Amino acid sequence: MSQLETIYNAVLDGNAPGAQAGVKAALAEGLAPEVILKDGLIAAMAEVGRLFEENEYFVPEMLVSARAMQSGLGLLKPLLAAGGATPAGKVIVGTVKGDLHDIGKNLVAMMLEGSGFEVVDLGTDVSAEKFVAAVKEHKPQVIGMSALLTTTMPSMSATVKALQEAGIREQVKVMIGGAPVTDGYARQIGADGYSPDASSAVRLAKSLVGVA
Ligand code: B1M
């Protein structure tokens, strides 16, 4: 069995020590961190999502799988971030109010850091008011909102409105993402951009701050 299969199976089984051991072994074999992330950890979570949709997995299984993925991700984080050099700008990221999904948001934050952005991570369940306060405090060029639930997408719109009401909308670019989010939704709520995954999020953030 390849190390990627070991990682994949460990995440499916919710086996955090197994996922960590697989990531360590894959790195020792010389596999690129990006490959381990995409073909091992992310591929496994996609399968977890499919099993959940098929009613073969339920919330507890999803949770232990997510924990296994996060534990493998923790080992990759410093390696993925190692590419960073001059700060490209400051980005505030957070998962919107009512939403506790943070794996995708963490990946985006990690990739942004790896591309030289300074990242302030507000965590999950972040209200519009908290985003506004953080923009006033940290003065970022960009805020990045993540939502994984259709029911929490309106929190993105509420945040854009709160920025407008606070008179600071023009000071900051707004980018959004997450599985149910679309480009059309970004336009509808007056965000400056949408990206479907972590690597395109980096390209988008760079274009929003005018970095090549
Ligand atoms: Co939840 N969950 N979940 N869940 N969960 C989904 C999202 C769901 C699609 C599963 C399903 O029904 N098929 C469904 C949402 C349905 C919908 O609204 N359309 C769902 C549900 C219903 C729920 C609960 C309501 C279940 C319940 O309790 N009955 C509940 C809600 C809790 C809450 O948030 N209030 C819930 C709970 C959970 C767990 C806690 C068990 C766990 C989260 C653990 C954690 O995050 N720490 C969990 C998980 C793991 C999932 C699935 C299986 C996987 C999500 C994930 O991490 N994907 C998910 C099913 C699925 O996605 N197929 C599901 C991997 C991750 C790398 O991808 O997050 O999409 P993703 O991020 C990508 C892109 O979207 C993008 O880049 C990332 C990397 O490429 N991206 C951005 C994300 N944010 C971005 C921001 C950007 C740019 C790009 O700019 C700022």
Side-chain angles (χ1 to χ4, degrees):
M1 197 189 295
S2 75
Q3 294 306 340
L4 288 177
E5 283 172 307
T6 305
I7 295 165
Y8 184 94
N9 290 334
V11 173
L12 277 190
D13 293 343
N15 174 0
Q20 286 204 335
V23 169
K24 281 183 191 158
L27 288 170
E29 277 185 9
L31 279 173
E34 292 81 5
V35 172
I36 301 171
L37 176 64
K38 184 165 167 288
D39 297 339
L41 296 172
I42 292 182
M45 279 315 289
E47 177 62 5
V48 169
R50 193 192 66 76
L51 291 168
F52 184 75
E53 279 157 30
E54 301 284 322
N55 290 323
E56 287 186 42
Y57 271 26
F58 298 95
V59 173
E61 286 89 352
M62 255 197 326
L63 197 53
V64 287
S65 287
R67 284 191 187 136
M69 175 175 178
Q70 301 263 26
S71 71
L73 203 54
L75 293 173
L76 294 180
K77 184 173 177 179
L79 303 169
L80 292 166
T86 331
K90 196 188 281 185
V91 185
I92 286 180
V93 296
T95 303
V96 296
K97 187 172 163 62
D99 203 321
L100 302 175
H101 296 85
D102 66 357
I103 297 174
K105 181 266 297 168
N106 291 347
L107 274 174
V108 170
M110 216 181 278
M111 295 292 280
L112 286 169
E113 275 178 356
S115 307
F117 283 93
E118 183 184 345
V119 175
V120 179
D121 188 344
L122 302 181
T124 59
D125 194 20
V126 182
S127 65
E129 296 72 27
K130 197 166 172 194
F131 273 114
V132 167
V135 169
K136 287 180 179 166
E137 181 187 347
H138 298 285
K139 306 202 178 352
Q141 283 80 35
V142 181
I143 71 169
M145 289 184 274
S146 180
L148 263 288
L149 299 171
T150 44
T151 49
T152 57
M153 285 168 61
S155 301
M156 294 176 151
S157 175
T159 303
V160 173
K161 284 197 187 109
L163 290 168
Q164 282 162 352
E165 281 162 16
I168 53 174
R169 175 67 185 91
E170 300 311 317
Q171 293 172 22
V172 68
K173 300 286 185 189
V174 176
M175 58 186 272
I176 62 174
V181 179
T182 62
D183 198 30
Y185 185 68
R187 281 198 297 271
Q188 186 190 320
I189 67 167
D192 298 295
Y194 152 79
S195 67
D197 56 47
S199 48
S200 64
V202 170
R203 282 198 298 278
L204 174 61
K206 284 185 171 175
S207 79
L208 290 175
V209 301
V211 175

